[in-house]
């Protein structure tokens, strides 16, 4: 084991400040990251499609030359980035984890990729993902599995598992991810980092052929500190004419910088209230130890003035699951229908993809409308909860990181799982809500496996959720205090 370079151990905020103060050169930064990736990525398989070293160093030298002329592209100037392999990257292979797209090289960037490039980031490759992002375990036939930074025999979660593992192992300063069924949250919990699912429309999603229906999938930031998370969210968010559902710019997020982000997040939370929903009164099976870690974390909330109260489920959870299945089949199945109707590509789809597509084949307009009515009723029930409480807290996952060779957990606490995503049902209600959700680390079980907790805020109140997480981070900095052995020095 080699001691990591001090450069890769800096937070993204610190790295940005060091680059702009000319304390480190962009070339130094690139060399340090590439050397670190060479040392630790073989054991994790988090970063894929790594680009040519000579070309990356040339880009870094160009970034240094720009700074020498007094020109900075933005706070990410000269910082290495590796977008998730579901995001299109101009000139860099984008496989979606599917053998069908093994050699796909897009001519354009996704919106989130375009924005980090504009902020000065240098793209060094991609982060691994399951096929089409289906399932919360990162493995695919193109690149293989991504392994957990704390135990390589275990899953890193998914579908942003490559991003979370790369962050935890200090191979990236910040990372992007996407989330439909917990894909920014579950891997964050499994890898002891922060993952943020923004409010619906906060981060423009696309480009995509269909612009008006995709309300459940979104892109967002992952980071090792809440400050870094907020900075990347500020870069990703804001309206885009190509995406009609994008929210207007948030005036605070839009003006965040390494110099002001700490002050923007530091507010008095005295009097705020958190509703602890736990396992939905026993409805959700949980592996031993998860509820206890979350409850231990919540005991620190009064330290910064926040009251925590346990509540009964505000809505029948089985109804939430049923409307989820309809929406999931409709959106996921129809998006991949062309691959199913072509026999050559259908033969290369994994069973979970076929199951989603076939689940959409018999759907009627009436069933979809009824599911949307049910989702609307859940929204109204949630708003009644937010009349009494400012936030809701639930575990990030129902199991600790599991065997990396297992496709998905078949049972939890003796209860069988009837779908490939039933084991992560704890994230579903919050996807349907459109609310901002952050996964914060809550510690480790007896064998050293990480876990996280979701903190949910009111619709479009992303900044409030970040501020709560920042206050918690001050009293329980699990990322800084418990790095993986490979980077512990």
């Amino acid at each position: 084991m080699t001691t990591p370079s001090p450069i890769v151990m800096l937070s993204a905020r610190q790295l940005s400040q060091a680059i702009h103060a000319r304390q480190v050169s962009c070339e130094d930064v690139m060399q340090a990251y590439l050397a670190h990736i060479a040392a630790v990525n073989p054991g994790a398989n988090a970063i894929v499609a790594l680009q040519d070293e000579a070309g990356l160093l040339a880009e870094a030298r160009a970034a240094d030359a720009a700074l020498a002329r007094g020109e900075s592209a933005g706070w990410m100037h000269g910082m290495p980035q590796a977008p998730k392999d579901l995001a299109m990257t101009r000139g860099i292979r984008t496989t979606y984890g599917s053998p069908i797209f093994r050699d796909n090289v897009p001519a354009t960037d996704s919106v989130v990729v375009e924005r980090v490039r504009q902020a000065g980031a240098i793209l060094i490759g991609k982060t691994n993902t399951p096929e089409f992002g289906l399932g919360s375990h990162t493995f695919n036939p193109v690149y293989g599995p991504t392994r957990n930074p704390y135990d390589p025999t275990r899953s890193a979660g998914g579908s942003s598992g490559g991003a979370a593992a790369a962050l935890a192992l200090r191979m990236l300063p910040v990372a992007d991810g996407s989330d439909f069924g917990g894909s920014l949250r579950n891997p964050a919990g499994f890898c002891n980092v922060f993952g943020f699912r923004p409010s619906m429309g906060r981060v423009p999603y696309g480009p995509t052929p269909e612009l008006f229906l995709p309300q459940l999938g979104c892109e967002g930031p992952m980071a090792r500190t809440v400050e870094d998370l907020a900075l990347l969210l500020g870069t990703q968010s804001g309206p885009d004419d190509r995406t009609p559902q994008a929210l207007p710019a948030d005036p605070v997020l839009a003006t965040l910088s390494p110099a002001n982000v700490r002050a923007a997040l530091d507010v008095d939370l005295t009097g705020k209230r958190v509703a602890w929903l736990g396992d939905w009164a026993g409805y959700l099976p949980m592996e031993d130890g998860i509820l206890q870690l979350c409850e231990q974390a919540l005991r620190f909330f009064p330290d910064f003035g926040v009251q925590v109260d346990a509540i009964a489920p505000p809505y029948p959870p089985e109804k939430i699951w049923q409307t989820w299945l309809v929406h999931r089949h409709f959106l996921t199945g129809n998006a991949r229908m062309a691959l199913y109707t072509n026999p050559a590509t259908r033969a290369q789809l994994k069973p979970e993809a076929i199951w989603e597509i076939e689940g959409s084949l018999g759907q009627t307009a009436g069933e979809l409308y009824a599911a949307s009515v049910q989702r609307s009723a859940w929204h109204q029930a949630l708003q009644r909860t937010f009349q009494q409480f400012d936030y809701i807290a639930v575990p990030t996952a129902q199991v600790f990181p599991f065997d990396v060779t297992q496709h998905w957990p078949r049972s939890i606490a003796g209860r069988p799982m009837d779908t490939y995503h039933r084991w992560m049902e704890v994230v579903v209600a919050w996807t349907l809500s459109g609310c901002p959700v952050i996964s914060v680390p809550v510690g480790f079980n007896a064998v050293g496996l990480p876990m996280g907790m979701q903190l949910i805020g009111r619709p479009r109140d992303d900044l409030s959720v970040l501020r709560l997480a920042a206050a918690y981070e001050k009293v329980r900095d699990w990322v800084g205090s418990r790095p993986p052995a490979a980077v512990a020095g």
Side-chain angles (χ1 to χ4, degrees), residues 20 43 75 110 153 214 275 303 306 311 325 360 369 390 417 435 442 453:
H20 285 88
W75 79 277
S110 291
T153 70
D303 292 358
V306 175
I311 64 167
L325 286 178
S360 72
Y369 185 81
D390 302 283
M417 300 290 102
C435 293
V442 293
M453 176 172 65

Side-chain angles (χ1 to χ4, degrees), residues 383-399:
Q383 299 325 298
R384 291 191 290 272
T385 303
F386 279 130
Q387 289 174 6
Q388 294 180 271
F389 295 92
D390 302 283
Y391 309 95
I392 298 170
V394 295
T396 293
Q398 294 166 241
V399 294

